[in-house]
DNA sequence: CGTCCACGTCTAC
DNA sequence: TAGACCTGGACGG
């Protein structure tokens, strides 16, 4: 569940499910967890949640007791305790009956009912963590969604920080400045503004104001009469706002979807998947950034793109043979994972038209290939945009973002490529 | 069976 | 700037 929107949706889930529920007893941790104990026990307490960027805070509030002396005798809590969670790659909250406890529940809060129900922090990979008596992690910046003004200010007033020497796509994952942005959000945000991901961050951000000048401008949409569909009025909207504003609005779109955000296993994942314009989308390119994270983008990667010429594999590929069939897969199998320190998959445009086509096949992820279908004689990329355009009956926020773009250049690109087969 | 990949931090050379 | 930390799903042989 893990970028800003998912964390926030998680806090909404807790507040909704636990409203009016009384919890009791100790907080229990799984055997396998290495996170700290939560030394809290109470005859009757409530749980509420809040979020900030990529953290969720649970507040455990003891209910009033007639006999506070008795309570302190028994070692009961009489003060609230905050527990601050980070979700890692796979954390989320569930509220279930005791016998439906999900696998990988690592911290459990028991309700005072028979049979009882359990609020549990579930985390398959255990990259998540929590801190009893916790506070928001001090090195993390303001929340991109709910502390927008201070978030902007924090970035704009620290542009001289060496952190901004890096490519913009990598800076967007720096939680000191972009608390809540993660790997899918950075792709979606940069894509919408057509910003090459490996452009120096400072060059993109300098000149932006602390104040969002856009915020109070009402007419975000321009209505244009479409000649072809004469009687229909088509709304055309450019992406509104600068990069910092989109770091705020794009995550909020996910929250306003009301689903669970990024969660491929769940039923309601389809809406989120349809919302994605770039991340893991068929026809988009991807590159490993300098931290080994996959950056999804379209068009020019930008001047700071990893050249990867130093990677053992790239050397091998360049030296050994011009055999275009010498793929990463092959190398992986050959070299063995031990001798090659870390695989670096580079998928990029090449110069000649022929190679372009070959490479474009490599670029398509396996998952994509499954989905790759012709719809109405057009590549799926285009049809996806059409689906987005036809969205009906959405929340106002979302509706405003529906009818947003003419078919972008990449569609033309894909179309040409497609026909060249 | 094995390899690769995944929404994120952390800390140790 | 590598790795370490984990589980599990997809896919290949």
């Amino acid at each position: 569940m893990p970028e800003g929107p998912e964390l926030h949706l998680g806090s909404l889930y807790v507040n909704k499910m636990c409203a009016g529920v009384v919890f009791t007893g100790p907080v229990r941790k799984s055997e396998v967890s290495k996170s700290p104990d939560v030394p809290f026990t109470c005859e009757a307490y409530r749980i509420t949640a809040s979020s900030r960027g990529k953290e969720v805070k649970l507040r455990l509030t003891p209910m009033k007791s007639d006999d506070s002396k008795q309570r302190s005798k028994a070692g009961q809590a009489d003060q609230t305790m905050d527990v601050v969670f980070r979700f890692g790659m796979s954390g989320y909250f569930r509220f279930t009956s005791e016998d439906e406890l999900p696998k990988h529940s690592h911290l459990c809060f028991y309700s005072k009912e028979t049979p009882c129900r359990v609020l549990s922090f579930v985390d398959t990979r255990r990259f998540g963590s929590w801190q009893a008596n916790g506070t928001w992690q001090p090195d993390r910046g303001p929340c991109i969604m709910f502390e927008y003004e201070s978030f902007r200010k924090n970035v704009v007033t620290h542009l001289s920080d060496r952190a901004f020497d890096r490519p913009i796509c990598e800076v967007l994952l720096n939680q000191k400045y972009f608390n809540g942005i993660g790997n899918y959000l950075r792709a979606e945000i940069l894509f919408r503004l057509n910003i090459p991901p490996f452009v120096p961050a400072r060059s993109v951000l300098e000149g932006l104001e602390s104040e969002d000048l856009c915020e109070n401008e009402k007419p975000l949409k321009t209505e244009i009469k479409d000649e072809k569909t004469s009687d229909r009025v088509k709304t055309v909207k450019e992406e509104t706002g600068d990069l910092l504003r989109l770091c705020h609005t794009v995550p909020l779109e996910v929250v306003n979807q009301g689903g669970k955000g990024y969660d491929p296993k769940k039923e309601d994942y389809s809406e989120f998947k349809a919302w994605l314009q770039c991340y893991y989308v068929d026809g988009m390119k991807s590159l490993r950034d300098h931290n080994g994270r996959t950056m999804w983008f379209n068009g020019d990667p930008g001047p700071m793109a990893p050249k990867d010429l130093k990677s053992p594999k790239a050397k091998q590929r360049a030296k050994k043979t011009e055999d275009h069939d010498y793929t990463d897969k092959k190398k992986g199998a050959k070299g063995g994972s031990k001798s090659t320190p870390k695989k670096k998959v580079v998928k990029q445009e090449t110069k000649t038209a022929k190679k372009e086509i070959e490479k474009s096949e490599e670029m398509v992820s396996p998952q994509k290939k499954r989905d790759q279908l012709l719809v109405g004689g057009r590549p799926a990329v285009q049809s996806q945009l059409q689906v987005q355009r036809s969205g009906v009956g959405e929340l106002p926020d979302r509706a405003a973002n529906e009818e947003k773009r003419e078919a972008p250049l990449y569609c033309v690109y894909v179309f040409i490529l497609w026909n060249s087969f």
Side-chain angles (χ1 to χ4, degrees):
Chain A
M1 283 233 356
E3 299 185 22
E6 289 77 17
L7 279 275
H8 182 66
L9 289 166
S11 75
L12 295 182
Y13 173 86
V14 169
N15 287 333
K16 178 177 148 197
M17 302 306 284
C18 300
V21 177
V22 178
F23 291 84
T24 189
V27 178
R28 291 171 54 176
K29 191 180 74 172
S30 75
E31 291 291 318
V32 70
S33 172
K34 291 172 186 168
S35 280
D37 287 320
V38 176
F40 180 93
T41 184
C42 184
E43 187 57 30
Y45 68 98
R46 298 199 187 273
I47 297 178
T48 55
S50 57
S51 78
R52 177 181 187 260
K54 260 184 255 184
E55 295 183 306
V56 167
K57 184 190 314 191
L58 291 193
R59 173 154 292 172
L60 316 179
T61 307
M63 297 172 72
K64 282 184 181 173
S65 158
D66 293 337
D67 192 345
S68 60
K69 285 178 186 171
Q70 189 181 30
R71 192 172 53 199
S72 50
K73 240 189 232 170
Q76 302 282 311
D78 55 8
Q79 298 209 321
T80 67
M81 178 186 282
D82 289 341
V83 188
V84 173
F85 291 79
R86 264 150 275 135
F87 281 13
M89 295 284 261
S90 56
Y92 62 95
F93 286 109
R94 289 301 312 277
F95 189 55
T96 66
S97 64
E98 193 172 14
D99 39 317
E100 286 172 329
L101 257 191
K103 200 179 175 186
H104 306 295
S105 293
H106 295 303
L107 198 66
C108 297
F109 306 83
Y110 291 82
S111 82
K112 195 173 183 172
E113 303 163 296
T114 41
C116 76
R117 288 179 292 172
V118 188
L119 176 69
S120 54
F121 177 67
V122 188
D123 184 9
T124 306
R125 296 180 68 181
R126 275 183 273 150
F127 292 173
S129 60
W130 61 78
Q131 186 63 60
N133 293 308
T135 56
W136 302 127
Q137 211 170 240
D139 287 344
R140 307 184 75 104
C143 179
I144 48 157
M145 292 175 292
F146 303 112
E147 298 173 285
Y148 178 49
E149 284 310 319
S150 49
F151 151 68
R152 272 192 85 95
K153 194 173 181 185
N154 187 41
V155 172
V156 169
T157 61
H158 289 92
L159 283 183
S160 58
D161 189 328
R162 292 287 304 276
F164 294 96
D165 294 353
R166 327 227 75 233
I168 185 61
C169 70
E170 293 171 17
V171 173
L172 286 177
L173 294 187
N174 184 341
Q175 303 298 298
K176 186 175 176 186
Y177 295 109
F178 296 89
N179 188 7
I181 300 296
N183 207 23
Y184 79 72
L185 284 171
R186 69 170 178 171
E188 294 301 309
I189 290 164
L190 292 175
F191 173 83
R192 294 209 192 177
L193 293 172
N194 248 289
I195 296 172
F198 295 95
V199 123
R202 195 175 290 105
S203 73
V204 182
L205 294 168
E206 65 191 0
L208 299 189
E209 308 287 338
S210 289
E211 309 280 316
D212 183 349
L213 301 175
C214 195
E215 198 172 27
N216 294 322
E217 285 176 23
K218 281 283 172 170
L220 299 180
K221 294 190 283 187
T222 49
E223 306 255 323
I224 295 174
K225 184 108 178 181
D226 192 303
E227 303 297 326
K228 289 169 188 170
T229 58
S230 52
D231 48 359
R232 262 190 140 184
V233 174
K234 210 177 182 181
T235 303
V236 179
K237 178 177 161 288
E238 297 295 320
E239 284 299 344
T240 301
D242 57 31
L243 176 57
L244 295 180
R245 182 170 178 79
L246 261 66
C247 286
H248 171 65
T249 57
V250 171
L252 284 179
E253 285 180 29
V254 178
V255 170
N256 288 334
Q257 266 174 226
K260 296 202 178 66
Y262 187 168
D263 190 354
K265 286 167 292 185
K266 291 301 180 325
E267 292 293 310
D268 59 358
Y269 179 59
S270 57
E271 187 185 2
F272 178 82
K273 195 180 174 193
W275 172 85
L276 291 173
Q277 296 179 26
C278 180
Y279 182 79
Y280 248 95
V281 167
D282 188 18
M284 296 294 139
K285 299 173 198 165
S286 64
L287 272 178
R288 296 305 182 94
D289 71 14
H290 295 284
N291 302 308
R293 301 269 257 144
T294 303
M295 179 66 218
W296 289 87
F297 66 102
N298 185 230
D300 181 16
M304 298 176 86
K307 298 293 180 242
D308 217 25
L309 296 175
K310 290 170 188 168
S311 121
K313 284 191 174 180
K315 269 186 190 170
Q316 258 186 338
R317 182 195 332 220
K319 274 187 189 172
K320 275 203 167 181
T321 173
E322 290 170 11
D323 179 6
H324 70 272
D325 195 32
Y326 200 72
T327 62
D328 292 320
K329 272 173 264 167
K330 229 174 172 177
K331 272 176 282 171
K334 218 178 189 177
S337 54
K338 283 174 186 172
S339 56
T340 48
K342 184 108 185 177
K343 65 163 186 302
K344 291 202 175 180
V345 183
V346 177
K347 310 160 187 172
Q348 247 203 58
E349 295 165 295
T350 53
K351 307 281 157 81
T352 74
K354 193 181 175 187
K355 275 184 182 172
E356 180 94 36
I357 292 164
E358 287 167 2
K359 287 283 179 176
S360 78
E361 274 208 308
E362 280 180 24
M363 276 192 283
V364 177
S365 72
Q367 208 171 43
K368 300 292 181 45
K369 275 181 177 162
R370 271 189 283 113
D371 301 339
Q372 197 157 359
L373 297 168
L374 277 179
V375 183
R378 290 171 175 177
V381 179
Q382 236 168 6
S383 68
Q384 190 192 352
L385 285 176
Q386 285 166 351
V387 167
Q388 286 189 326
R389 283 186 184 174
S390 65
V392 190
E394 308 285 351
L395 298 169
D397 231 1
R398 178 146 171 78
N401 284 305
E402 284 299 335
E403 309 251 327
K404 86 183 93 193
R405 53 176 69 237
E406 296 299 317
L409 269 181
Y410 72 81
C411 283
V412 178
Y413 174 78
V414 170
F415 189 67
I416 291 167
L417 202 58
W418 192 268
N419 284 334
S420 67
F421 276 100

